[in-house]
Amino acid sequence: MRKSLLVVLTFLLAVTGAFTQNGAERRAAYNRLEQERQELLAWGGRHPGAPKLVAMYKNKKAREIRARQYKEFFDFKRQEIGRFKESLRQDIRRAKNVPFVTFNALPAKNLAIIAKNKELLTDILKNYPDNAVTLTDAYLTKLFQEDEGLERLVRAYAAYLHTYNADPAAAADFSPSQREQLTVLQKNGNRAALYASLSQFSSEAVKRQKENLARKYTAHTLKAAFSK
């Protein structure tokens, strides 16, 4: 009896160990793919003068990796999107009077009915991305898998809210030309370009403020040092 129990326990430990090792290997493979994808996406920004065909090839390879991640590592994607969704939920709760953003979260029951029509649901999400947090992790992951444009839009929207919540004054310090551009995009209903621009402009504004503060601090420190 004890011998049989020992055999069973040994088998279970072996299976558990193999499963854990396999999970670690899959996670490492997923992380390598994500690192490669991010490097491909960032390539254009690091080489602004490069031929467009090369940049297009890099973006194509990044899309291929993205498709592979969703196909082979859907569970990891679902976990990551679950964390992303919770972070977005917190930022939506904190956000108040965010420039160029209108919140219109529908009741869960209404959204569940709308979800039966995927095209209508996608249209609502593109206009009011705050509804993404109401969907289940698995369903939102599936939507992102099928529509890369939707994922980029929702992630840009989330990035803007996160940046704005961290420093509202700096994040909304748009130049007159930027504000005019954002206004036109909002009036035209081009949500994808609007949220992408908001994410970019707010990030640049915060970076610009940090650089200005650093310069002022350096100037103040030097002035104080030479005045002694």
Side-chain angles (χ1 to χ4, degrees):
M1 180 68 179
R2 290 181 179 178
K3 186 176 181 180
S4 299
L5 182 59
L6 181 61
V7 171
V8 172
L9 289 173
T10 303
F11 173 76
L12 289 174
L13 288 172
V15 171
T16 302
F19 181 80
T20 302
Q21 182 179 6
N22 181 258
E25 290 174 354
R26 288 184 70 245
R27 172 60 70 180
Y30 174 83
N31 289 342
R32 285 194 297 270
L33 284 174
E34 181 61 19
Q35 182 178 356
E36 183 181 356
R37 189 178 75 89
Q38 292 298 333
E39 289 174 355
L40 287 167
L41 291 173
W43 190 89
R46 295 198 301 266
H47 304 83
K52 289 185 177 180
L53 284 177
V54 178
M56 289 172 62
Y57 172 77
K58 297 288 185 180
N59 288 333
K60 179 175 178 293
K61 294 296 292 183
R63 288 195 298 271
E64 290 174 354
I65 290 175
R66 176 186 181 276
R68 182 181 169 188
Q69 285 178 307
Y70 273 104
K71 182 178 180 181
E72 300 179 14
F73 305 96
F74 189 86
D75 52 338
F76 290 157
K77 274 292 183 184
R78 183 175 58 193
Q79 292 169 12
E80 186 273 322
I81 288 173
R83 293 190 294 270
F84 162 79
K85 196 180 74 174
E86 184 56 33
S87 176
L88 175 57
R89 189 195 311 277
Q90 296 301 323
D91 277 321
I92 289 172
R93 287 175 179 170
R94 292 173 55 198
K96 293 180 180 180
N97 302 319
V98 185
F100 299 101
V101 170
T102 301
F103 297 107
N104 186 27
L106 299 175
K109 290 183 179 180
N110 293 13
L111 203 62
I113 296 173
I114 292 171
K116 296 176 182 179
N117 185 329
K118 191 174 293 185
E119 185 177 346
L120 178 58
L121 175 63
T122 300
D123 189 53
I124 288 175
L125 289 175
K126 288 182 177 180
N127 282 280
Y128 303 105
D130 49 330
N131 285 283
V133 301
T134 307
L135 302 174
T136 65
D137 297 349
Y139 193 73
L140 184 59
T141 304
K142 192 65 177 176
L143 285 178
F144 281 0
Q145 180 182 14
E146 296 172 354
D147 191 336
E148 185 178 2
L150 174 64
E151 181 175 11
R152 283 200 305 268
L153 182 151
V154 176
R155 287 189 182 275
Y157 168 87
Y160 171 53
L161 285 188
H162 193 73
T163 301
Y164 182 84
N165 284 337
D167 192 340
D173 187 21
F174 305 125
S175 69
S177 61
Q178 288 177 335
R179 191 169 292 278
E180 181 180 358
Q181 180 180 338
L182 293 169
T183 301
V184 171
L185 290 173
Q186 188 177 46
K187 287 182 178 179
N188 292 342
N190 191 342
R191 302 297 181 185
L194 174 64
Y195 294 132
S197 297
L198 284 168
S199 176
Q200 177 187 341
F201 294 164
S202 62
S203 179
E204 290 173 350
V206 170
K207 181 181 179 182
R208 187 167 59 248
Q209 187 193 65
K210 288 181 179 179
E211 291 173 346
N212 289 338
L213 289 174
R215 281 195 293 269
K216 289 180 180 179
Y217 176 78
T218 301
H220 176 75
T221 302
L222 290 173
K223 182 178 179 181
F226 284 108
S227 63
K228 291 182 179 179

